[in-house]
Amino acid sequence: MCGIVGYVGRAKAAPILLDGLRRLEYRGYDSAGLAVVNGRHELQTRKCAGRIAALAKLMVKKPVSGSFGVSHTRWATHGKVTNENAHPHFDASGKLALVHNGVIENYQTLREELISGGDTNFRSETDTEVLAHLIGKLYDESCATTVDTPQKKAHMLEAVRAALQRVIGTYGIALIHSDVPEFMIGARRGSPLVLGVGKGENFLASDVSAIVAYTRDAVYLNDFDVVAVDREKFEISSLAGETGDHQVSKVEFTAEDIKKGDYAHYMLKEIFEQPGTVRDAMRGRLSPEECTARLGGLNMTPPQLRDVGRIILTGCGTALHAGRVGEYLIEALANIPTEVEYASEFRHRNTPLTRETLVFTISQSGETADTLGALRESRRKGFRTLGICNNVASTIARESDGGVYMHAGPEIGVAATKSFTSQVVILTLIGLLFGRMRTLSTAEGSRIIESLEALPEQIETVLKLSDQIKEIAKKYADVTGMLFFGRQFNFPIALEGALKMKEITYLFAEGHPSAELKHGIIALIRPDLPSVFIAPDDGVFSKNLNNIEQVKARKGPVIALTSGNGASQLKTLANEIVTLPEAPDCVMPVLSVIPLQLLAYHLAVELRRDVDKPRNLAKSVTVE
Ligand code: G6P
């Protein structure tokens, strides 16, 4: 949510900043801007409402020069989407430019204080501008007579620290000042910020994908870190001014990995990556000899694992839906009472937790503010809290007591796809591990391992259904919405199918347990509102069949996903039948979700939606 890129080096800053913004556009895309200082100490700014492409156009008309600058792509929180509200924002002197990700909660108080001190030069409605003014004021007060550059840098750093100490809220920031050449400051609290370490050049970014084309050496900043960045060096200190050690890590992926290749959209690429990503989620984690899973990252001894008596799974959006599959999985395989909580609710409510409770936070990005809040609340209460994350260096991954990485590679499409199937596979591994320490026999463990190992090939088979699903999407392109139904392991898949549909087609969509149809939803059934049933040939197939009959009796079109003998029984009932490979109940969700990802995708393309950047959404929601 909101992307930040900063550069200080020898190269022209503007193309690097624009390139970085393009790679971060999935984080926010309602407006964009940059500020670069030229050799005459002039701050040149270009910003506009709209996509990065609009900013790039503006830059062609009105180019800027200079080798240090900051830039931003916005997802609005405070203030409308206008040119004025786009970042960077400036201090009262107009010499300091600041970009910000997060929310300054006490900005009204700070703004009133600045106004009563005589500052009337506010140009936007944003919380960010208030921070820029505060830092600028503190800097100007301390630096009035300073001419020497090292001293100016020291004053600037002090001003940033002093201002941030007054801030309530969250921030990842990068700023420059036209009087302080080749110098940039970054700081974070609650919003991610990473320093890219180059040769004779350094970078700041809210996500390494922005800078991985230039350097793979990165320092992931911690909350309350402030970093002063020159061309040749950087220094990280705390808000209180203490310096400490920081590790330079190698970024796991390359710029190649975040290219779209021949695919029309990142989402489609990521859907088709699933045979590989599912394999990577299990790699080295299956033990066919002991018929169990090996998950060393949990950092728990066998007695500690055995003592777990209750599990809470928490997350947001798609990650929460994976958790809902996990609830069925863990209870079925390990017989441990498992609950799923919205992270945003869990963090504020007083969920009674018993001594033997284990909490898992699930998050692709590892930066979602509510999920991070849930993690912190759980740890504050003294509970062991583990993460299931994709982004290795993310805040959630770093603050957890242990966890399991997805290793799914960067996910760029705003609608999560491959991360979901990886999360479900990892939750199956967790169920298997706990199950084998309790009631699951070697034979059952072995069967689960075989079904998991068969998944990548079965996913290849499901992906071959893409053309059939595209035809279905074309046929139903003028519907007013879609309902999704499933039972047991496939009830959460109905929720996820509806979420995908809403996110990228903007059609009305809801997911429900099939049996709930009778309790209200049936009133909605009509010919222009198809029902998608996830009804594999399993123990509840006949129950799903009843519900399908109920929809058909009311002239509702039915799209059915089924397997095995299901197709022959549905022949006269369903308008469309999509046949999945046969698989045991516990791994079926990994297969059954894929046609729904494809259905949403093809329908969105048919409706000419912006698949990778759906309106109003952001990939990683780092505000509450
Ligand atoms: C946003 C995205 C969703 C995603 C959710 C959780 O709402 O639009 O696609 O599922 O955040 O993201 P996380 O990174 O925590 O998995």
Side-chain angles (χ1 to χ4, degrees), residues 21 30-34 46-48 50-52 55 72-73 86-87:
L21 287 186
D30 61 43
S31 41
L34 55 74
R46 306 288 179 263
K47 56 183 190 171
C48 57
R51 298 283 169 92
I52 311 292
L55 177 66
H72 189 266
T73 173
H87 296 218

Side-chain angles (χ1 to χ4, degrees), residues 295 297-300 305 308 312-314 358-363 371 375 378-379 383-389 396-397 399-404 430 434:
L295 298 171
L298 298 182
N299 295 336
M300 289 171 75
L305 288 168
V308 172
I312 291 194
L313 305 169
T314 182
L358 179 63
V359 179
F360 280 94
T361 60
I362 309 171
S363 173
T371 312
L375 162 77
S378 166
R379 293 198 75 216
F383 287 91
R384 187 188 296 272
T385 312
L386 306 175
I388 300 176
C389 294
I396 293 177
E399 291 192 16
S400 297
D401 294 309
V404 191
I430 291 168
F434 281 109

Side-chain angles (χ1 to χ4, degrees), residues 316-319 362-366 368 371 414-416 423 503 618-619 621:
C316 303
T318 290
I362 309 171
S363 173
Q364 186 283 130
S365 63
T368 301
T371 312
V414 166
Q423 287 157 0
E503 283 180 315
K619 179 75 183 156
V621 182

